[in-house]
Amino acid sequence: MNTNKLKLIDKEINQMLVVMHQNAANEQIAEVVKAIETMGLQAHPLAGSTRTAIGVTGNITAVDPQRLASMGGVLELVRVTRPYKLASREMHPEDTVVKTPQTIVGGGNFTLIAGPCSVESEALTLEIAEFLKSEDVHLLRAGAYKPRTSPYSFQGMGREGLEILKKVRAKTGIGIVTELMDTDEADAVEDAADIIQIGTRNMQNYALLRRVGKMRKPILLKRGMSATLEEWLMAAEYILAGGNQQVLLCERGVRTFNDHSRNTLDLSVVPPLQATSHLPVLVDPSHGTGKRAYVPSMALAALASGADGLLLEIHPNPDKAASDGMQTIDFATFSKLRKTLGQLSPFLGKKLS
Ligand code: PEP
Ligand code: MN
């Protein structure tokens, strides 16, 4: 018995990473997975470029840690110290790359996702999608369901908005990102979307997080407006623990004492987030600033922060937008910004996609 293998083990065997030897055979990995499952826990094999690790999650039960430590092919058991496990780099050292039929997010790409705050009409959504395609942008974001502070504000077009998004996708081939606010609408939104957005107000709506954890499409999880890094990753953990590995995080500004901007765009969260988690990180400077004049500079700052992409509100006539016009940039501003991002991205180790 290798006592080293046991030194990190305690009763919290459910917060473990079983690191396999570099030359461990597939049968040995399968044996360990089986042993974990026999203990009533879940095994998550994470294949790395040189070795495989197996994440262990589940309820703490009386298990025999020696059994795992002494199995063939096991190098060591590492205690995962953070409360989030599947979201952590300890369990998943390599960056997650999120794929949609149109594009990929992460893996050295800087991905632009843009569109109007709300779906307003078919003609307008189509016009924006065609503009984005001409700018080589492959994901359109537009809300059919809008979480509004006032019940008297425009609440979005609902199902009709989803139908418009489906038509625009069919006509242009652009990928659709749209928000889900309510578990009742989950099937309809999943059907219309390539990426499902969970907004800031729902970051801790656990029923909704559990529901999207069962989906097989990527989830864009916005940071709660007062959420710490840990609370945010715990929310992502709900989705990952449900079996959906395709999660994108999006910083969209937090509430502070500032009154010069709608929110305080916390770009300082990007490096620690990337150090602690493998999930791609996007930045939304539209909601982050609340003012269109400040969107381009904060978008460039987001690229410099190391983020994996942007979420931007654009509209051909921002002053006429049905929601969030104040923070929405027009087509010309977007084109100019995209050009600058394209020029700068190679210097920052990113490929504009
Ligand atoms: C939105 O993306 O239009 C939106 C409502 O975002 P948030 O949840 O960040 O406020
Ligand atoms: Mn908005």
Side-chain angles (χ1 to χ4, degrees):
M1 177 76 250
N2 180 346
T3 48
N4 267 348
K5 287 184 187 174
L6 287 177
K7 70 175 187 280
L8 290 161
I9 306 173
D10 64 12
K11 284 201 199 99
E12 293 184 15
I13 186 78
N14 67 328
Q15 299 193 13
M16 287 288 152
L17 192 61
V18 183
V19 183
M20 301 299 291
H21 274 292
Q22 209 164 328
N23 52 5
N26 286 341
E27 296 73 41
Q28 291 177 318
I29 296 170
E31 282 298 314
V32 175
V33 167
K34 207 164 111 200
I36 292 166
E37 289 172 352
T38 311
M39 292 170 185
L41 302 166
Q42 286 87 50
H44 307 269
L46 309 155
S49 52
T50 53
R51 62 176 87 246
T52 293
I54 303 164
V56 187
T57 59
N59 294 324
I60 297 173
T61 48
V63 293
D64 177 8
Q66 294 193 13
R67 176 141 176 249
L68 287 183
S70 60
M71 287 184 75
V74 173
L75 177 67
E76 60 174 345
L77 301 196
V78 179
R79 165 99 182 270
V80 176
T81 49
R82 302 181 195 281
Y84 39 87
K85 301 166 202 125
L86 301 175
S88 78
R89 268 212 194 272
E90 279 160 314
M91 270 225 175
H92 190 299
E94 274 147 36
D95 287 345
T96 282
V97 176
V98 167
K99 298 188 174 88
T100 74
Q102 306 78 17
T103 189
I104 56 175
V105 189
N109 294 290
F110 192 73
T111 306
L112 302 183
I113 305 177
C117 181
S118 315
V119 179
E120 296 179 27
S121 70
E122 185 178 336
L124 188 80
T125 313
L126 191 59
E127 180 186 348
I128 297 171
E130 276 164 354
F131 166 71
L132 289 172
K133 293 283 286 185
S134 76
E135 292 278 322
D136 212 19
V137 173
H138 306 287
L139 292 168
L140 168 86
R141 199 218 63 128
Y145 297 93
K146 297 307 303 179
R148 304 304 301 277
T149 304
S150 164
Y152 307 116
S153 301
F154 174 58
Q155 304 286 307
M157 292 179 76
R159 291 277 173 116
E160 200 186 337
L162 294 181
E163 289 310 313
I164 290 175
L165 290 172
K166 284 199 245 180
K167 276 193 200 154
V168 168
R169 185 185 193 274
K171 278 190 185 156
T172 65
I174 203 158
I176 300 296
V177 183
T178 197
E179 180 162 352
L180 172 66
M181 287 172 51
D182 187 326
T183 49
D184 288 350
E185 298 301 311
D187 290 333
V189 171
E190 187 179 14
D191 183 41
D194 293 285
I195 298 180
I196 297 101
Q197 173 175 324
I198 299 294
T200 192
R201 296 160 182 83
N202 277 315
M203 190 205 81
Q204 286 180 313
N205 179 337
Y206 299 118
L208 203 56
L209 296 177
R210 278 200 200 90
R211 180 65 186 79
V212 300
K214 290 196 197 125
M215 292 182 177
R216 289 300 166 263
K217 284 186 177 169
I219 309 302
L220 189 157
L221 180 65
K222 287 192 139 191
R223 180 183 186 177
M225 61 182 88
S226 63
T228 62
L229 183 154
E230 188 169 304
E231 287 162 345
W232 191 7
L233 288 178
M234 291 304 282
E237 191 78 14
Y238 267 85
I239 304 171
L240 297 167
N244 189 344
Q245 310 303 316
Q246 300 267 289
V247 178
L248 296 158
L249 302 168
C250 180
E251 160 62 29
R252 49 78 71 201
V254 289
R255 275 290 170 87
T256 69
F257 50 80
N258 280 343
D259 56 8
H260 62 267
S261 55
R262 181 178 178 186
N263 292 293
T264 297
L265 186 64
D266 182 16
L267 290 180
S268 75
V269 81
V270 177
L273 206 49
Q274 291 179 330
T276 48
S277 177
H278 51 90
L279 300 172
V281 184
L282 302 175
V283 170
D284 170 358
S286 306
H287 293 84
T289 61
K291 292 180 186 163
R292 71 176 78 123
Y294 310 138
V295 168
S297 53
M298 295 316 287
L300 297 174
L303 170 67
S305 76
D308 299 287
L310 293 170
L311 202 67
L312 291 163
E313 287 187 333
I314 67 160
H315 194 285
N317 190 348
D319 289 332
K320 293 259 166 67
S323 54
D324 284 349
M326 299 265 288
Q327 64 193 35
T328 299
I329 57 173
D330 61 19
F331 287 2
T333 309
F334 180 86
S335 295
K336 191 166 165 237
L337 171 62
R338 191 190 166 279
K339 199 161 163 242
T340 313
L341 289 165
Q343 286 163 340
L344 290 178
S345 49
F347 296 103
L348 293 154
K350 286 274 174 9
K351 188 175 167 292
L352 187 68
S353 68

